[in-house]
Amino acid sequence: MDNNSYNDTKNRKNPAGIIMIAAAVVIFLVAVGGIIPFIMAKNLVGDAIRKDTTQYNVPITAVITENRVREADGGNSIADTKTGKVYTPVYEYEYRGKTYSVAGSVASSEKKYEVGDKVNVFISDANPGKMYDPEYNPTKVIDDFGHKISGTFILILVVPIIMLAVLTAFVIIIILRASKKNKANNDEENDHDPNDDYRG
């Protein structure tokens, strides 16, 4: 194969290679540019509301005595968009002969617990009036919400990437077919000997 034929072959392969590289770069930028900021924002929010729970060192069983209802004030509550009401569970427990009634740290549009439910919580031995519910606190609520958002976000991110990959594959197939057709045409032209003279 002479240099001209080699260069022709190389040039025919370049468009598909360039498109593949460009698509890979775009997919990488979309994935990294979307995922990293999202993870950072999620972690920042989590760190902002996460608190030290080491003081809650006594496990105890509390009973839900009521769900306090109030109008949403735009604070740390997740309001019901229809009624604008939020519910805060009230925990009651007994420790060292004294009964404590403590409102939960989360108010939401849905009732997490019904009155009469028994809940395993942690209280502070030094300050029994302080209570921590490992299943229903601001950090847990934000984490659960973050998992739901993450799934939706990944779906939104993955669909364009899949579409771009399919489009890239389609374009590459077209280019490769065109290259093969050009190669076949060139081979036919090369098979013809211009020195042949059939003029008789």
Side-chain angles (χ1 to χ4, degrees), residues 37-54:
F38 176 77
I39 292 174
M40 289 176 64
K42 183 181 169 186
N43 288 340
L44 283 173
V45 172
D47 290 342
I49 62 169
R50 197 165 281 114
K51 65 178 182 177
D52 181 21
T53 59
T54 56

Side-chain angles (χ1 to χ4, degrees), residues 122-144:
F122 289 89
I123 63 172
S124 169
D125 182 57
N127 188 354
K130 286 189 173 183
M131 180 274 308
Y132 172 74
D133 182 351
E135 292 300 317
Y136 198 52
N137 57 75
T139 303
K140 173 76 171 168
V141 170
I142 292 294
D143 284 345
D144 290 345

Side-chain angles (χ1 to χ4, degrees), residues 34-106:
I35 291 173
I36 290 179
F38 176 77
I39 292 174
M40 289 176 64
K42 183 181 169 186
N43 288 340
L44 283 173
V45 172
D47 290 342
I49 62 169
R50 197 165 281 114
K51 65 178 182 177
D52 181 21
T53 59
T54 56
Q55 63 175 312
Y56 303 102
N57 54 357
V58 180
I60 201 165
T61 300
V63 177
I64 303 300
T65 56
E66 67 172 302
N67 280 296
R68 291 181 183 165
V69 183
R70 64 179 173 78
E71 297 296 324
D73 57 5
N76 66 342
S77 61
I78 302 170
D80 187 328
T81 53
K82 292 180 180 178
T83 65
K85 293 180 179 179
V86 291
Y87 304 90
T88 304
V90 177
Y91 303 74
E92 188 174 285
Y93 52 89
E94 189 175 314
Y95 185 64
R96 291 181 177 172
K98 186 175 179 181
T99 300
Y100 297 87
S101 183
V102 181
S105 56
V106 178

Side-chain angles (χ1 to χ4, degrees), residues 8 18 24 60 64 74 79 133 143 148 164 170 180 191-193:
D8 273 353
I18 291 170
I60 201 165
I64 303 300
D133 182 351
D143 284 345
K148 291 178 183 177
L164 179 60
F170 181 70
K180 286 180 182 178
D191 287 343
H192 174 68
D193 189 349

